Amino acid sequence: MQYIAITKEYRDKVNGNSYFSTRIEDVENDRMYILPFQYGYGTQSEHETKKVIKCFNKNVSWNDIKFIKIDRCLKREVKQHGQGIEENYISNPGYYYQD
């Protein structure tokens, strides 16, 4: 595995919406990429993860990424999981970079 993506999910029971945030660890380069708290359900987090990785590794395949999903989290847990340093925010496609 080149990448480990840990996603936390929160479901708003009142409105029926699902949200997630993801931390992607680049194992080979010892880097972290963080997808902030955002709307999405099902495999949306996996597709967003691959989209971010493809920004710097065009040859990534699904087999290169280990996906770990933690559901039924509290909203504050998911928001904290998706927080990064503001000056390290890359607006397109929307993630934080940590070295």
Side-chain angles (χ1 to χ4, degrees):
M1 293 292 135
Q2 280 185 291
Y3 304 96
I4 300 170
I6 301 173
T7 297
K8 290 191 175 187
E9 289 186 330
Y10 159 73
R11 180 158 161 64
D12 178 358
K13 294 176 186 169
V14 174
N15 298 310
N17 296 324
S18 296
Y19 301 89
F20 71 90
S21 62
T22 303
R23 288 182 175 250
I24 307 162
E25 182 182 350
D26 183 339
V27 177
E28 291 179 357
N29 297 312
D30 194 29
R31 292 190 181 130
M32 178 79 66
Y33 305 94
I34 303 169
L35 295 172
F37 183 81
Q38 58 192 287
Y39 171 79
Y41 60 93
T43 59
Q44 181 72 32
S45 62
E46 295 174 11
H47 290 282
E48 294 298 320
T49 295
K50 191 169 181 188
K51 187 166 109 177
V52 166
I53 294 171
K54 278 195 164 276
C55 289
F56 48 86
N57 182 351
K58 303 284 187 211
N59 299 320
V60 70
S61 75
W62 289 108
N63 296 328
D64 296 330
I65 308 167
K66 169 134 177 98
F67 294 102
I68 300 169
K69 193 176 282 192
I70 304 167
D71 57 0
R72 297 189 184 114
C73 294
L74 297 173
K75 184 177 183 178
R76 71 173 177 264
E77 289 176 314
V78 178
K79 282 190 167 189
Q80 282 177 337
H81 187 69
Q83 287 181 333
I85 300 169
E86 202 59 43
E87 63 244 15
N88 293 345
Y89 185 72
I90 310 297
S91 61
N92 189 9
Y95 66 92
Y96 294 98
Y97 165 81
Q98 282 185 314
D99 202 1

